[in-house]
Amino acid sequence: MNCLSERVNRLHPSATLAMSARSAELKAQGVPVINMSVGEPDFNTPEHIKEAGIKAISENWTRYSPVPGYPSLREAICNKLKNENELSFKPEQIVVSNGGKQSVCGAIMAIVNSGDEVIVPAPYWVSYPEMVLMADGTPVFIPSGIEQDFKITPAQLEAAITPKTKALILCSPSNPTGSVYSREELRALAEVLKRHESVFVISDEIYEHISYVGHHESIAQFEEIRERVIIVNGVSKAYAMTGWRIGFVAAPVDVAKAVSKLQGQYTSGPSSISQKAAEAAYRGSQQCVEEMREAFSRRRDLIVKLAREIPGLEVNEPQGAFYLFPKCSSFFGKSDGKRTIFTSTDFAMYLLEEAHVACVGGDSFGAPECFRMSYATSDENIVEAMRRIGDALAKLK
Ligand code: PMP
Ligand code: GLU
């Protein structure tokens, strides 16, 4: 008997986390797996941020914080939005959560009613459609292949909007493709949204600082739609703080209040210690962010070059984040004599078993012809992984 809720039954487990767990299991058994499945910086949290966390414990910042986060942290986030993005927000518009993931989910839960449609450009981050389903909404996908650099066009957006559309979820720089929308491309999307006054944008900007094309552009900069943009960001990627679990929404006051109300019944304010560390991240020197970005940029160049040398893979040049999203469908129907590859998940399993490199099939990202590799790992690992992948793929006939 299945006694679980329909809500849980219709959810899929996170494919990125599942593949990472499988890779850790194999590693524990002594298999020399290179894990390129999960997207998290391989750097340690910078010293001054760790020290702020330690100081927070010593100074007894160990009690409940206000549900939307400490006022000083929300103020630091407003300063960040002003200085880096030229956007004016008040602390009451900021809600700090347990990571960007909770922030995206909080935003969706705050605005989506049963039956509402939420536009999710594909390829998408695995959790977006699942969160929409959790909110009893309907994800509506807009496909965008490698030939359009995985970015949707204004015409596609216009065609996808119906009277039931509640929101668009935009992720730039993108997980899983690394694509970055330029200011002009964002302006063109904003022009469409301007005509549809009840449509919100949930703008996931968690990879803001991992961009190889200069200054980050937020869709919130366009005044005409500004009141309908919910920005999601956080410290996980920019400051190598994935385990600290701090993200935020910056939203119109009503939406921010709603996110906080939900959080007040569900999780309360996030970890007091992590909040103090996040405040140090936002207020301290940004040198560490630039150093990590430079390392990711070098690795991006390396992995693109090596992947383009492997026959059968089609590779675009990602402009941000730390993912490569090659097209691998030329291998579908091929076999090494033992296994035949039919799908991108088969392809990722083949690479795990044969090359001992953990990647994630594009099926989970709404792009069944591609697969995702995270290059947030050492240059040595990248070189070795691409060598192994090249050898494994050469066996497929
Ligand atoms: N959005 C995207 C696109 C992500 O890749 C991630 C990373 N998991 C998140 C949100 C959530 O980040 P966090 O670890 O802060 O929850
Ligand atoms: N953003 C990372 C990824 O996509 C973390 C994993 C997750 O939260 O799903 O791999």
Side-chain angles (χ1 to χ4, degrees):
M1 190 188 75
N2 185 347
C3 58
L4 301 176
S5 69
E6 282 175 26
R7 175 171 295 105
V8 167
N9 284 331
R10 65 177 177 246
L11 285 189
H12 300 93
S14 163
T16 46
L17 298 182
M19 197 59 166
S20 186
R22 176 87 190 108
S23 144
E25 262 169 40
L26 286 175
K27 240 183 188 161
Q29 291 164 18
V31 182
V33 175
I34 299 177
N35 185 4
M36 301 178 97
S37 61
V38 77
E40 84 174 325
D42 55 322
F43 300 105
N44 292 324
T45 303
E47 283 307 317
H48 69 284
I49 300 175
K50 290 196 286 194
E51 275 162 23
I54 293 165
K55 189 159 168 266
I57 298 174
S58 309
E59 292 182 354
N60 297 310
W61 290 94
T62 51
R63 299 191 168 82
Y64 290 132
S65 79
V67 172
Y70 288 121
S72 57
L73 172 57
R74 284 183 283 149
E75 204 151 286
I77 291 169
C78 289
N79 291 343
K80 171 249 172 298
L81 289 163
K82 184 87 217 146
N83 298 336
E84 294 185 344
N85 311 104
E86 292 173 37
L87 296 170
S88 298
F89 281 92
K90 298 197 180 78
E92 73 211 56
Q93 293 178 273
I94 311 294
V95 182
V96 184
S97 308
N98 299 289
K101 195 177 248 181
Q102 190 186 2
S103 302
V104 178
C105 202
I108 292 172
M109 290 291 180
I111 60 172
V112 173
N113 280 313
S114 173
D116 282 352
E117 293 176 354
V118 178
I119 298 176
V120 182
Y124 47 74
W125 180 42
V126 289
S127 296
Y128 298 150
E130 304 294 331
M131 289 171 176
V132 173
L133 290 174
M134 266 196 268
D136 296 331
T138 307
V140 172
F141 303 110
I142 303 181
S144 57
I146 197 164
E147 66 294 339
Q148 62 188 80
D149 199 22
F150 303 114
K151 290 189 268 195
I152 61 165
T153 64
Q156 284 182 301
L157 177 59
E158 182 71 65
I161 294 174
T162 75
K164 287 190 180 167
T165 305
K166 190 62 191 260
L168 160 71
I169 305 183
L170 200 67
C171 182
S172 177
S174 156
N175 177 5
T177 66
S179 296
V180 175
Y181 286 85
S182 69
R183 186 176 189 175
E184 288 64 39
E185 287 165 339
L186 291 175
R187 189 195 302 282
L189 296 180
E191 279 299 318
V192 174
L193 293 161
K194 195 171 116 184
R195 294 195 287 275
H196 300 277
E197 288 178 5
S198 56
V199 179
F200 279 88
V201 185
I202 298 173
S203 179
D204 185 342
E205 304 181 15
I206 195 111
Y207 294 98
E208 158 173 24
H209 288 294
I210 306 168
S211 167
Y212 317 122
V213 287
H215 186 253
H216 174 70
E217 301 290 348
S218 169
I219 196 161
Q221 71 187 277
F222 302 106
E223 281 300 329
E224 311 89 315
I225 60 161
R226 176 76 196 282
E227 270 308 299
R228 292 183 270 132
V229 179
I230 304 170
I231 294 178
V232 172
N233 207 328
V235 293
S236 299
K237 315 285 171 172
Y239 301 94
M241 292 178 70
T242 44
W244 296 79
R245 311 307 305 132
I246 295 289
F248 68 83
V249 295
V253 176
D254 288 356
V255 176
K257 277 192 181 146
V259 171
S260 183
K261 184 172 161 189
L262 280 165
Q263 195 160 292
Q265 294 295 13
Y266 198 50
T267 58
S268 299
S271 152
S272 53
I273 298 150
S274 298
Q275 287 190 61
K276 288 290 166 192
E279 189 177 332
Y282 284 124
R283 290 201 195 273
S285 161
Q286 301 301 300
Q287 183 61 26
C288 54
V289 177
E290 181 51 23
E291 280 166 17
M292 289 188 267
R293 197 195 63 79
E294 277 169 18
F296 289 132
S297 173
R298 193 187 61 240
R299 293 165 180 181
R300 188 272 310 253
D301 294 345
L302 179 64
I303 199 166
V304 167
K305 176 178 157 293
L306 295 175
R308 285 189 171 151
E309 287 169 7
I310 298 177
L313 293 183
E314 198 180 325
V315 182
N316 73 334
E317 183 170 83
Q319 299 183 324
F322 35 60
Y323 305 105
L324 192 69
F325 203 62
K327 188 167 170 182
C328 59
S329 48
S330 69
F331 292 96
F332 295 174
K334 293 194 175 173
S335 166
D336 68 341
K338 287 178 283 182
R339 286 153 296 199
T340 305
I341 313 290
F342 293 107
T343 65
S344 64
T345 298
D346 294 347
F347 183 87
M349 284 316 290
Y350 176 75
L351 292 185
L352 183 62
E353 287 165 13
E354 195 60 35
H356 299 149
V357 179
C359 307
V360 189
D363 303 292
S364 329
F365 303 98
E369 72 286 3
C370 298
F371 73 108
R372 190 189 81 170
M373 310 173 77
S374 162
Y375 55 85
T377 186
S378 67
D379 294 31
E380 297 73 42
N381 275 348
I382 292 171
V383 171
E384 175 61 10
M386 298 317 282
R387 188 192 63 72
R388 291 190 203 171
I389 290 175
D391 290 351
L393 294 182
K395 294 182 194 157
L396 293 173
K397 303 281 176 255

